[in-house]
Each structure stands twice: as C-alpha cells, then as structure tokens.
C-alpha cells in the first residue's frame, strides 16, 4: 500500500512507478540508445575522411577544424531549428544535429592520432615497399587507434547527454520522459529517467574502454615498461577541444 501511496504523494523514489511504467522506461531507453549509436557511427564515418584530408592537405586543416568547431558552438535549440525545414519533426533531425556536434571531438582526435605516428615507422614501412593505402591501414591506423578510440569514448558520452535535448521534438529518448516529468511535476519520472541517462553514459564509457584495451593491448605493456624505467615513452591521449559549453 505504501508503494501505491508514493505515486499519490509524488515521491522522488517510487517503486510503484518503476513497476507500472517499466515498458515506458524501456522504450525510451531503446530510443536513446538507437539515436546515440547512430549519431556516433555516422560521425565516425564522416570524421575519418575529414581527418585524412586535414592531414594530407595542410591548407584544408584550418577550415575543417574551424568548421567543425563552429558546428559545436551553435546552441542546440538553434541547431534543431535550422535543420527543421530539411528533416521535419523526426529522429533524423536529432541524429543529424548530434552528428554535427560529434565532428569536433572525433576529427580532432583522429587527426591527433595520425599526426602522432612516428615518422620512422612510416619510413620503415615505405622501405619495405608499403604503398600509401597499405601504410595507412597496417601501420598508421593501429598506432593511432588509442587516440581515436579515446575520442570515440568522449563523443559517445557527450552524445548520450545531448540526446536528451531531442525531447523538444519528441525524439529525446529518456530526455522526453524528463521533460514531460518536469512539465507535470512528476518527480519519480524525472529522477528515474535522469538516473538511467547517467547509467547509460557510464556503461557506454566502460564498454568502450574495454574495447579500447582489447584492441590496443600494447598500450598497457608500454605503460608498465615506461613506469619502471628512467625514461617513459610518450603516449597519445584523447584531445578534448577547448569549446564553449553546449547550451539548449
């Protein structure tokens, strides 16, 4: 009886809400995950050729980095309003906006990883007859992978948070529940959806961290050897650009 009373009392913590609205929370979580995954994957597919272009053509580096930073500086409400005539009130509107926001982080980290590849490694590969494409896939990408994956982690956590802004067009996943709960002063819904959103970000980061360590086992070995010797090898870390806070 007390659990039922928590809905009447509008408590922040209410087991009855979780029991009766479980499917609603599940559907919102699935939508949140779908939008996040689609946005990050598309962002990676776009960022990789942009980073290659910026590295190979120095004249394009400034415009590419500048344009992606401009995208990130646009407030969320303004971004969705600008995209609205093209996509209407749809999930594509939210995904497109999130892709544009992810480009700044992804392009900078991919570019940083590629630029940090030792020149002697490239020269050795060329001496063995490696062409540009084979050099990229078999030498440069493996060495740049730690920085690239670290950038994907940052972009993913950022996208999980920004997905909630999609609630303004009813495609915000858990953000839609949070916004509806705020409008109706439904405390249990606001707290439950907010906690789930935080858990999604934490779990996504831990999952990607595990993938990063699995794909780059040599980085752990290097860190152990570097910590024991008098000279430590420099490692490439993720670049989190100095950007203004995202506002709605």
């Amino acid at each position: 009886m007390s659990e039922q009373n928590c809905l009447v009392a509008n408590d922040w913590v209410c087991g009855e809400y979780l029991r009766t609205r479980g499917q609603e929370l599940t559907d919102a979580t699935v939508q949140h995950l779908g939008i996040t995954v689609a946005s990050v994957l598309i962002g990676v597919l776009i960022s990789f050729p942009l980073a290659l272009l910026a590295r190979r053509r120095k004249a394009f580096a400034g415009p590419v980095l500048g344009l992606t930073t401009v995208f990130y500086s646009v407030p969320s409400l303004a971004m969705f309003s600008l995209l609205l005539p093209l996509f209407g009130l749809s999930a594509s509107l939210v995904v497109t906006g999130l892709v544009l926001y992810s480009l700044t982080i992804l392009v900078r980290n991919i570019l940083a990883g590629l630029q940090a590849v030792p020149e002697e490694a490239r020269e050795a590969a060329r001496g063995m007859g490696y062409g540009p494409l084979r050099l990229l896939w078999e030498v440069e990408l493996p060495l740049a992978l730690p920085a690239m994956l670290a950038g994907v982690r940052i972009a993913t956590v950022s996208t999980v948070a920004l997905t909630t802004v999609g609630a303004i067009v009813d495609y915000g996943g858990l953000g839609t529940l949070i916004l509806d709960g705020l409008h109706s002063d439904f405390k249990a819904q606001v707290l439950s959806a907010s906690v789930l959103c935080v858990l999604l970000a934490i779990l996504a980061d831990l999952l990607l961290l595990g993938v990063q360590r699995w794909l780059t086992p040599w980085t752990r070995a290097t860190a152990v050897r570097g910590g024991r010797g008098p000279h430590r090898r420099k490692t490439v870390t993720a670049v989190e650009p100095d950007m203004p806070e995202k506002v709605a």
Side-chain angles (χ1 to χ4, degrees):
M1 187 67 180
S2 60
E3 287 189 349
Q4 294 178 356
N5 288 337
C6 71
L7 283 175
V8 178
N10 195 24
D11 294 334
W12 284 102
V13 179
C14 184
E16 182 66 11
Y17 170 77
L18 297 177
R19 188 184 70 80
T20 58
R21 304 291 183 89
Q23 188 59 50
E24 185 178 42
L25 286 169
T26 301
D27 292 342
T29 301
V30 170
Q31 184 186 75
H32 206 109
L33 280 172
I35 292 174
T36 299
V37 171
S39 301
V40 174
L41 287 179
I42 296 173
V44 170
L45 292 176
I46 295 175
S47 298
F48 186 70
L50 287 178
L52 287 180
L53 177 64
R55 189 198 62 163
R56 295 185 181 278
R57 307 288 185 182
K58 301 299 182 181
F60 289 100
V64 167
L65 295 176
L67 181 61
T68 56
T69 301
V70 167
F71 285 149
Y72 197 92
S73 66
V74 178
S76 305
L77 292 176
M79 177 68 79
F80 289 157
S81 297
L82 292 172
L83 296 174
L84 186 59
L86 297 176
F87 299 98
L89 297 176
S90 65
S92 299
L93 169 66
V94 180
V95 170
T96 302
L98 295 177
V99 167
L100 294 177
Y101 287 140
S102 71
L103 293 182
T104 303
I105 299 171
L106 292 172
V107 170
R108 287 174 181 266
N109 278 276
I110 294 173
L111 182 59
L114 292 173
Q115 290 177 335
V117 175
E119 187 59 33
E120 55 267 27
R122 295 191 180 96
E123 292 298 329
R126 294 189 187 101
M128 296 172 62
Y130 281 44
L133 188 59
R134 189 182 178 190
L135 174 65
L136 173 65
W137 288 105
E138 296 187 18
V139 177
E140 293 179 320
L141 280 185
L143 293 175
L145 201 56
M148 294 169 60
L149 291 177
V152 172
R153 286 175 55 200
I154 297 172
T156 300
V157 173
S158 175
T159 302
V160 170
L162 285 173
T163 297
T164 58
V165 183
I168 61 176
V169 294
D170 203 26
Y171 286 96
L174 293 167
T176 301
L177 293 183
I178 295 172
L179 185 62
D180 290 344
L182 289 173
H183 286 164
S184 60
D185 193 30
F186 195 171
K187 296 177 181 177
Q189 179 167 302
V190 172
L191 180 62
S192 299
S194 299
V195 169
L196 278 175
C197 189
V198 173
L199 289 176
L200 277 182
I202 294 174
L203 290 175
D205 188 55
L206 291 176
L207 177 62
L208 290 172
L209 177 60
V211 172
Q212 179 179 340
R213 290 183 173 180
W214 176 59
L215 292 176
T216 59
W218 64 87
T219 58
R220 298 195 299 276
T222 300
V224 171
R225 291 197 302 269
R228 293 176 180 173
H231 301 289
R232 299 183 180 181
R233 177 180 291 184
K234 295 175 65 177
T235 58
V236 182
T237 57
V239 177
E240 190 166 9
D242 184 14
M243 298 173 295
E245 290 292 332
K246 182 55 54 192
V247 294

